[in-house]
Amino acid sequence: MSTHTLAAPGMRGLQDRLWSAVTDRDEHAAASVVLTALDDGVDAESVLLDVIAPVQARVGTEWAANRLSVAQEHAASAIAERVIAALAHHPVVRTAPRLGRVTVACVDQEWHVLPARLLAEVLTLRGWRVDFLGAQVPTPHLIGHLHSNGADVVALSSSIPTRLPTAHAAITACQAVGVPVLAGGAAFGPDGRHARRLGADAWEPDARSAARRIADGIAVPAAGRQQIDDLPHLGDQEYTLVVRSRPQLVREVLAQLETRFPASAAYTEEQREHTAQDVAHVVDHLGVALYMGDDELFTDFLAWTAGILEARRVPAASLRPVLDVLGAELKDFPRTTRLLGRARTVLDAFPAPAGPTTGAFG
C-alpha cells in the first residue's frame, strides 16, 4: 500500500478526533482513528509524531491548566501506549531490520515513557533493530544488557530534570563500555545544554532528528572520563549534603508551615499529603540545580509550580515560607543560599493574594 503525509488541516482533523477519544477514555475509538488513518495510506511515522505526540502534549498542557485531572491524564497516557502498540503490529507498518542495533531506554526512576517509545517505533520503521527497554531502567541492568547484546548507540530518555544525576551515571557507564549515548527528552533542556554538560555524545530535540543523527553515525566515546570531570563544582559537597538531608528538610518545612502560612492550619489530611509531596519536589529541584550548577533548573521549576498552584487557586506566595525555612536550615551553604535568594525574586513577580485563601499545595 502506498503511503502519504496529510496536509496540516488533515492532521488537525485526526488530532481532534484522537483528542475526543482519549478524553472520553474510549480506547477503541482512539485505536480506530489511528488504524483507519493507516488504512487510508497515511504513513505510520506521521501518525506517531504528527497525531499521537501532539495530542499527548495537549494532555500535559490541559493538566497544567487544571482542565484535566491527574486520573484523566494517566488514562489518556495509558490509551496512547496501547494505541501505539496497535499501530506497531499493523501489517502495513512492518519493516524488516536492515541496519544496526539501537538500545532505547528511560533512565532509572523516569516513568514518562512515551517519548522513548515514539523514538523506538520511528527507528524500527526506518529499519533499525531496536531493543526498547522501557521506563525506569536501572543503570546496572542497562549495562548488563549492553554486555549481552551490544548496541551501536544507546538512546537515553528523561523528561524530569531531577533525574539528571541518574542520567549522568548512565551516560558515563555506557561510554565506559564503549557505547555512545544520544540523549533526548525535556530533562536535558530545550537546547540540549544539560546533555552536553553531562558529556552525552549527541542530543536531539525530537524523534525525527534523533533518527537522522543515529543514521549519520555517532563516534564511540573515549574511555576514562568520570562524572566529576564534567561537574568539578561537585567537589564542594553541597549537592551531596542537601540530598542526604532531604527527609529532615521536608519535615522541618512542614513543622513550620502552619506558623508561616496560616491557611495551612485548615488543610485536610489529603491536602497535607499533597503539600508534603510538593515540598519534597522543591527540595529535589534544589538538589539537581546544585548538581548541575544551573540556577534556572530551580528558578524555572519554582515559576512553573507557582503557575500550577495559581491555576488551582492556591497563591504562589504559599511557596515563600518553604524557601524561608530551607534558607534558615541551609544558611551555611553559599551556593544554596544564593540560589534560594534568586528563587525568592522569581516568586516576588507573582501578585499577592487579594483575600484569604484555603487551598493546599497539591
Side-chain angles (χ1 to χ4, degrees):
M1 177 185 295
S2 62
T3 61
H4 64 276
T5 301
L6 286 180
M11 285 298 179
R12 284 196 293 272
L14 288 175
Q15 291 172 14
D16 290 343
R17 292 197 290 277
L18 184 59
W19 171 258
S20 295
V22 298
T23 53
D24 287 343
R25 297 177 299 284
D26 189 336
E27 180 182 329
H28 293 291
S32 179
V33 171
V34 167
L35 298 180
T36 300
L38 294 177
D39 291 338
D40 289 343
V42 182
D43 71 276
E45 187 170 306
S46 294
V47 174
L48 287 166
L49 303 183
D50 301 324
V51 180
I52 297 174
V55 167
Q56 280 305 108
R58 183 177 174 186
V59 168
T61 300
E62 293 298 293
W63 170 82
N66 202 30
R67 291 189 288 267
L68 286 181
S69 69
V70 172
Q72 288 173 312
E73 184 268 335
H74 285 188
S77 298
I79 290 172
E81 277 285 307
R82 291 173 64 84
V83 167
I84 292 171
L87 178 150
H89 291 285
H90 193 285
V92 77
V93 304
R94 290 177 184 167
T95 305
R98 62 186 185 279
L99 302 174
R101 183 182 291 272
V102 180
T103 293
V104 179
C106 295
V107 302
D108 196 8
Q109 302 179 53
E110 175 60 71
W111 52 268
H112 291 90
V113 74
L114 188 68
R117 180 64 186 272
L118 289 171
L119 175 60
E121 297 302 333
V122 168
L123 290 171
T124 300
L125 289 170
R126 295 190 180 199
W128 292 90
R129 188 180 300 278
V130 178
D131 295 325
F132 177 57
L133 305 188
Q136 305 189 83
V137 181
T139 297
H141 294 185
L142 174 59
I143 300 306
H145 173 82
L146 296 177
H147 279 304
S148 299
N149 300 280
D152 296 295
V153 62
V154 169
L156 197 65
S157 178
S158 184
S159 296
I160 305 175
T162 52
R163 308 299 181 241
L164 286 172
T166 303
H168 197 190
I171 290 168
T172 54
C174 292
Q175 292 169 336
V177 298
V179 181
V181 176
L182 181 147
F188 295 103
D191 57 359
R193 66 183 184 273
H194 303 317
R196 290 188 290 273
R197 192 76 187 274
L198 299 182
D201 301 288
W203 167 86
E204 294 294 342
D206 54 58
R208 282 194 177 98
S209 58
R212 288 194 296 267
R213 182 71 177 84
I214 291 171
D216 290 340
I218 301 174
V220 175
R225 186 176 57 82
Q226 299 182 9
Q227 290 172 251
I228 194 69
D229 297 330
D230 300 319
L231 305 172
H233 60 266
L234 293 177
D236 67 13
Q237 296 294 302
E238 285 200 31
Y239 162 75
T240 301
L241 294 170
V242 168
V243 169
R244 286 178 179 173
S245 302
R246 178 182 185 269
Q248 300 95 301
L249 291 171
V250 173
R251 283 197 298 269
E252 191 60 34
V253 170
L254 295 176
Q256 296 190 38
L257 188 61
E258 190 170 313
T259 300
R260 293 173 178 264
F261 186 63
S264 66
Y267 283 2
T268 65
E269 193 60 36
E270 181 181 10
Q271 287 173 325
R272 291 179 189 279
E273 182 179 341
H274 288 167
T275 300
Q277 293 171 354
D278 288 340
V279 173
H281 289 323
V282 171
V283 177
D284 288 342
H285 281 81
L286 174 62
V288 76
L290 292 170
Y291 185 90
M292 297 296 296
D294 188 326
D295 290 2
E296 290 182 4
L297 278 168
F298 189 56
T299 57
D300 287 353
F301 168 74
L302 260 293
W304 177 83
T305 301
I308 295 292
L309 293 177
E310 294 278 344
R312 287 153 177 75
R313 302 176 65 185
V314 181
S318 61
L319 290 167
R320 186 61 183 255
V322 177
L323 301 183
D324 290 342
V325 175
L326 292 176
E329 294 296 310
L330 300 170
K331 62 182 183 299
D332 296 327
F333 298 84
R335 283 202 296 133
T336 304
T337 298
R338 178 184 54 77
L339 182 51
L340 290 169
R342 285 201 61 188
R344 291 188 188 95
T345 301
V346 169
L347 290 185
D348 288 344
F350 286 83
T357 61
T358 59
F361 277 55

